[in-house]
Amino acid sequence: MTSQITPNSFLTRTGPSAAASTTVFFISGNPGLISYYHPFLSLLSKYLAEPEDNGIEAKKLPALQLYGCSLGGFEINSDASDQLSLSSSPKSDASVPKHRKQPGKAGDYDLEDQIRFVDQKLTVLMETTIAARSHDHRPDSSPGGTATQRPKVILIGHSVGAYIAMEILRRHRETIPKNSSERRAAQLASMNDYSPPELDIVGGAMLFPTVIDIAASPSGQKLTTLLSFIPRLAMLVGLLVRLLTFLLPDFVLRSVVRFVMKSPPSHALDATVAFLKSSGGVRQALHMATDEMRTITSDKWTDDVWGAATAREPLMKLVFYFGRNDHWVAEKTRNEIIALRGRKEGSGPTMLVCEEGLPHAFCLKHSDTMARKVAGMIREILT
């Protein structure tokens, strides 16, 4: 697979393709346009490629693959070049089941739809990656893994993307055989039927995570109140925005967006205008947000998913990075998560609280700062 950056996807590597045994898989928040995160992901790739100087020696990470895509229903200017196709793999016909299809559905995506959409994107990506590595691997390949090693995955989720990441992690953990008899049964089943590619999710970085009680947050309370008065909010606002974008000349629309967003950087302005002009992006965002209020409530994950001491192998390293005065995460909710699920006795997720005043929507104006922080998290996960 070659690197690609399009309005709907981001794919790059920090070294040779055959050496990239670990994939950093990014899941965006809502609205789910990956173009909001292009600068962040580009900077993250840059910092991960640079050696880390700890004052004693400069350590360089093995080659990594970074991937992200727009969530379902948010795609803009979609065409063939925006789709991660199995045909990009030299060995796709021989190594990847032909019945695999690109994720997609008719109508708006709720949160469960998005989880399945992202999970399938991850499956397709890893099938293609494994096939490409099998084709490209040579005995003298640079360090980073062989074609027979199970690929590693690190999930990065922003906002509701963190919830999606945790759910993908839970479902992946549930497929791992617990004992030798289960492993044997899985091997026999895979001989006759399709089975997902074998991979190890070794860690995750959850940024400004909305994983519990989102409706208790300041913005969640406002949205819940609004929905109680206007149950069809997504449809009504979607129609209104479509009418306005149809009537307003492009330069006027851009001026309005620039004023409302207080002079955003060019990538954020372009992404927002494209989002507003898309056929159903605004409706999709509000439809999904409505479902988030109903779905993201109590803690629904076991110690095994949280990576606590009682979890079974392989253990994962999770990092949660919270903001202060985050309008989508109540202070009380954040403190309860840290108290109940934070690292204890050397196990469990690392919980960090931002002391620099970074906003929930860091991808608009603070990509460089967050890219440096996340690069450090990934180094910690891999060491």
Side-chain angles (χ1 to χ4, degrees):
M1 294 186 296
T2 58
S3 297
Q4 63 177 19
I5 300 177
T6 75
N8 297 325
S9 63
F10 182 99
L11 174 65
T12 191
R13 298 178 188 84
T14 63
S17 174
S21 60
T22 300
T23 295
V24 176
F25 188 87
F26 181 80
I27 307 169
S28 73
N30 182 9
L33 280 74
I34 199 64
S35 50
Y36 277 120
Y37 301 90
H38 281 171
F40 165 72
L41 292 171
S42 297
L43 288 164
L44 178 60
S45 175
K46 171 189 172 184
Y47 296 138
L48 289 173
E50 295 176 349
E52 180 187 33
D53 189 353
N54 59 12
I56 301 175
E57 60 178 332
K59 293 184 178 180
K60 188 173 183 178
L61 289 175
L64 302 172
Q65 174 176 250
L66 281 77
Y67 177 78
C69 66
S70 294
L71 296 180
F74 290 99
E75 300 91 344
I76 55 176
N77 300 325
S78 183
D79 55 40
S81 66
D82 277 338
Q83 301 299 321
L84 179 65
S85 172
L86 295 179
S87 63
S88 61
S89 167
K91 296 280 285 184
S92 59
D93 291 339
S95 305
V96 178
K98 294 182 179 180
H99 67 273
R100 298 296 294 169
K101 296 181 179 180
Q102 288 295 326
K105 72 183 287 288
D108 295 324
Y109 289 69
D110 59 24
L111 193 50
E112 175 61 26
D113 292 327
Q114 296 291 4
I115 294 166
R116 294 177 180 177
F117 177 90
V118 174
D119 192 31
Q120 192 171 355
K121 282 284 190 177
L122 174 61
T123 297
V124 171
L125 173 68
M126 299 317 297
E127 286 174 339
T128 309
T129 299
I130 292 170
R133 286 177 58 201
S134 298
H135 178 266
D136 295 338
H137 178 69
R138 299 291 183 270
D140 59 348
S141 292
S142 56
T146 67
T148 59
Q149 285 182 318
R150 289 162 64 99
K152 298 177 181 179
V153 174
I154 296 173
L155 301 176
I156 303 179
H158 174 226
S159 191
V160 71
Y163 180 91
I164 295 172
M166 291 291 283
E167 271 297 291
I168 289 176
L169 183 53
R170 176 183 69 81
R171 297 172 195 203
H172 172 77
R173 299 289 290 185
E174 289 175 351
T175 65
I176 299 175
K178 298 180 178 63
N179 50 51
S180 58
S181 60
E182 286 193 8
R183 285 193 292 271
R184 178 58 180 165
Q187 291 171 353
L188 292 174
S190 65
M191 294 173 63
N192 301 315
D193 302 311
Y194 167 76
S195 60
E198 292 189 348
L199 55 92
D200 289 329
I201 300 179
V202 297
M206 311 305 172
L207 313 177
F208 302 89
T210 56
V211 292
I212 295 175
D213 290 337
I214 188 173
S217 67
S219 289
Q221 293 180 36
K222 293 176 183 177
L223 179 58
T224 301
T225 301
L226 189 59
L227 287 169
S228 67
F229 290 102
I230 314 175
R232 304 296 294 270
L233 181 67
M235 183 187 70
L236 293 175
V237 175
L239 289 173
L240 177 61
V241 170
R242 292 209 67 184
L243 177 62
L244 290 176
T245 54
F246 175 77
L247 295 175
L248 292 177
D250 189 67
F251 76 94
V252 175
L253 177 62
R254 292 180 70 87
S255 297
V256 171
V257 171
R258 186 181 292 109
F259 174 77
V260 172
M261 295 183 69
K262 300 178 181 178
S263 300
S266 59
H267 83 278
L269 176 62
D270 293 342
T272 303
V273 171
F275 166 61
L276 294 174
K277 295 177 69 174
S278 63
S279 60
V282 173
R283 186 186 69 247
Q284 170 60 59
L286 287 171
H287 175 83
M288 183 176 166
T290 301
D291 193 51
E292 290 172 38
M293 299 302 111
R294 294 189 295 258
T295 304
I296 303 177
T297 53
S298 59
D299 181 358
K300 59 188 66 177
W301 301 295
T302 63
D303 287 351
D304 187 55
V305 176
W306 285 99
T310 55
R312 56 197 170 90
E313 298 289 341
L315 291 177
M316 302 154 299
K317 294 181 180 180
L318 298 181
V319 181
F320 282 73
Y321 189 87
F322 293 96
R324 287 202 180 276
N325 302 312
D326 187 337
H327 60 100
W328 283 113
V329 181
E331 300 284 291
K332 181 174 181 285
T333 300
R334 181 199 68 209
N335 293 337
E336 289 176 350
I337 294 173
I338 294 174
L340 294 174
R341 289 298 189 177
R343 178 174 290 269
K344 298 180 181 69
E345 300 179 357
S347 70
T350 299
M351 302 286 186
L352 304 173
V353 179
C354 178
E355 301 294 347
E356 302 169 54
L358 297 182
H360 186 90
F362 70 86
C363 57
L364 299 182
K365 297 181 179 180
H366 299 84
S367 292
D368 186 78
T369 301
M370 282 307 302
R372 292 178 186 273
K373 290 179 180 294
V374 175
M377 296 175 195
I378 292 174
R379 290 181 185 277
E380 181 66 25
I381 291 171
L382 291 176
T383 56

